[in-house]
């Protein structure tokens, strides 16, 4: 046991030395030509991915001291990057939101960071990239406590057909939907823009090496709007947080792609999915009764604001 621990310590330290050199941590912020320190950049990133953040939650999530977070937020406020206000329900808690200038700064920082990592990975082939993703997922699972057998990835040959087939089978069995629903899913999948990865994306969740979930982010008809579609988690894979991970991937992508808002349409009988959407920050904006797929339903429109106009 002691030998295993010592060997693992050495491996982790060796990897840390290699990776910090590769991404230029010792030269940060010069590496990205940014005025922010590493911890300031991390706080900006977290604020950009939350519509409003409680200061206490932000501090706990990042593992920073209250004094450090307070000093940083004060600097951000002086620079016009954030606004602060007391929680309407409990004045003891302070909420922070990025201003338009703050979101622009966070977006520029994120762009530079992505470009830096992209340059690092540019020389790797598809097999090496897959090995790297699998290794990182394993490491993340070990340290976060998430099941290391769950992986969220892009679509591979056969996955789009799987999405159609499983939606038809699962919704037919659980909600009594007829073949009209499977035909609708087939049209959505057929319209998916594989040639536009900058604005449309599909994710597949794997459990034990086989697909168990899906979600899509596609362009909506409304300007600057993306639409979340075809969220599915197989019954035997529920309860592992897979739905939350898929929706989070969709939200993060839509924000990074520059969309102003993310919308979705669902039905009130999908209680588990609605809880996932609410946890992700979506708000119910409209309801309408309809008869579709052979059953009576109440359709719902949900919306998540990604950036202020």
């Amino acid at each position: 046991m002691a030998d295993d621990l010592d060997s693992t310590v050495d491996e982790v330290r060796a990897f840390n030395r290699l990776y910090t050199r590769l991404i230029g941590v010792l030269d940060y912020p010069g590496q990205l030509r940014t005025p922010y320190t590493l911890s300031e950049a991390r706080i900006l990133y977290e604020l950009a991915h939350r519509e409003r953040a409680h200061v206490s939650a932000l501090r706990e999530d990042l593992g920073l001291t209250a004094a450090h977070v307070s000093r940083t937020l004060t600097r951000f406020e002086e620079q016009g990057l954030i606004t602060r206000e007391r929680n309407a329900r409990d004045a003891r808690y302070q909420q922070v939101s990025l201003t338009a200038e703050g979101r622009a700064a966070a977006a520029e920082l994120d762009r530079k960071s992505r470009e830096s990592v992209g340059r690092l990975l540019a020389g790797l082939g598809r097999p090496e990239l897959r090995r790297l993703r699998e290794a990182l997922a394993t490491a993340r699972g070990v340290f976060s406590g998430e099941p290391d057998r769950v992986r969220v990835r892009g679509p591979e040959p056969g996955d789009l057909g799987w999405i159609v087939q499983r939606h038809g089978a699962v919704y037919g069995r659980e909600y009594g939907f007829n073949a009209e629903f499977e035909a609708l899913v087939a049209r959505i999948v057929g319209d998916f823009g594989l040639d536009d990865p900058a604005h449309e994306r599909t994710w597949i969740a794997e459990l034990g090496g086989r697909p168990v979930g899906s979600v899509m982010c596609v362009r909506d008809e409304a300007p600057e709007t993306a639409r979340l579609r075809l969220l599915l988690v197989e019954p035997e894979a529920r309860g592992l947080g897979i739905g939350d991970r898929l929706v989070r991937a969709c939200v993060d992508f839509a924000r990074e792609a520059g969309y102003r808002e993310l919308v979705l349409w669902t039905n009130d009988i999908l209680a588990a999915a609605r809880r996932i959407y609410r946890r992700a920050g979506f708000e119910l904006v409209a309801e309408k009764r309809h008869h579709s797929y052979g059953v009576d339903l109440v359709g719902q429109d949900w919306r998540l604001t990604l950036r202020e106009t």
Side-chain angles (χ1 to χ4, degrees), residues 35-270:
Y36 307 109
T37 66
L38 193 58
S39 64
E40 288 173 341
R42 190 70 175 91
I43 291 173
L44 266 180
Y45 177 86
E46 289 297 326
L47 291 175
H49 286 75
R50 312 180 191 198
E51 186 174 352
R52 292 181 183 83
H54 291 288
V55 174
S56 57
L58 186 67
R59 186 174 66 244
E60 292 173 5
D61 291 346
L62 295 178
L64 298 173
T65 65
H68 184 96
V69 172
S70 178
R71 288 194 300 269
T72 300
L73 294 180
T74 296
R75 284 196 294 271
F76 284 172
E77 192 169 31
E78 292 171 349
Q79 295 165 5
L81 302 180
I82 66 166
T83 58
R84 290 195 274 192
E85 60 183 2
R86 292 293 174 183
N87 187 293
R89 295 182 177 179
D90 193 335
R92 294 174 300 174
Y93 295 99
Q94 192 178 68
Q95 296 180 139
V96 182
S97 301
L98 285 179
T99 62
E101 185 176 351
R103 291 205 173 275
E108 177 66 9
L109 187 61
D110 186 66
R111 181 187 66 81
K112 290 181 177 180
S113 179
R114 291 183 64 84
E115 288 178 352
S116 177
V117 176
R119 288 192 296 269
L120 174 64
L121 302 178
L124 300 180
R126 181 172 292 181
E128 288 80 10
L129 289 172
R130 176 173 291 186
R131 285 176 56 209
L132 179 60
R133 288 197 304 269
E134 291 174 351
L136 291 173
T138 298
R140 189 167 56 247
V142 168
F143 287 110
S144 68
E146 295 178 351
D148 59 5
R149 53 186 180 153
V150 174
R151 184 165 72 100
V152 175
R153 57 166 176 79
E156 296 176 353
D159 284 335
L160 296 182
W162 176 87
I163 291 174
V164 176
Q165 189 274 329
R166 294 313 298 159
H167 270 79
V170 172
Y171 278 78
R173 182 175 63 248
E174 296 191 347
Y175 304 107
F177 286 14
N178 61 23
E180 294 175 9
F181 179 70
E182 189 171 352
L184 170 66
V185 176
R187 289 195 296 272
I188 294 171
V189 170
D191 291 338
F192 172 62
L194 284 171
D195 58 342
D196 190 15
H199 297 96
E200 298 195 344
R201 196 76 60 87
T202 294
W203 294 267
I204 298 293
E206 270 189 5
L207 180 62
R210 63 186 182 85
V212 294
S214 69
V215 74
M216 280 186 174
C217 183
V218 301
R219 285 181 183 270
D220 192 60
E221 295 178 355
E224 296 187 280
T225 301
R227 182 169 290 273
L228 185 154
R229 308 202 80 165
L230 303 185
L231 175 66
L232 174 76
V233 179
E234 291 277 12
E236 70 271 18
R238 293 169 188 168
L240 299 176
I242 292 175
D244 289 286
R245 288 179 62 177
L246 288 168
V247 170
R248 187 164 63 245
C250 187
V251 171
D252 289 347
F253 169 75
R255 183 175 281 114
E256 291 170 4
Y259 288 110
R260 180 174 54 84
E261 63 181 11
L262 181 62
V263 300
L264 65 90
W265 181 83
T266 188
N267 288 285
D268 67 332
I269 59 174
L270 305 179

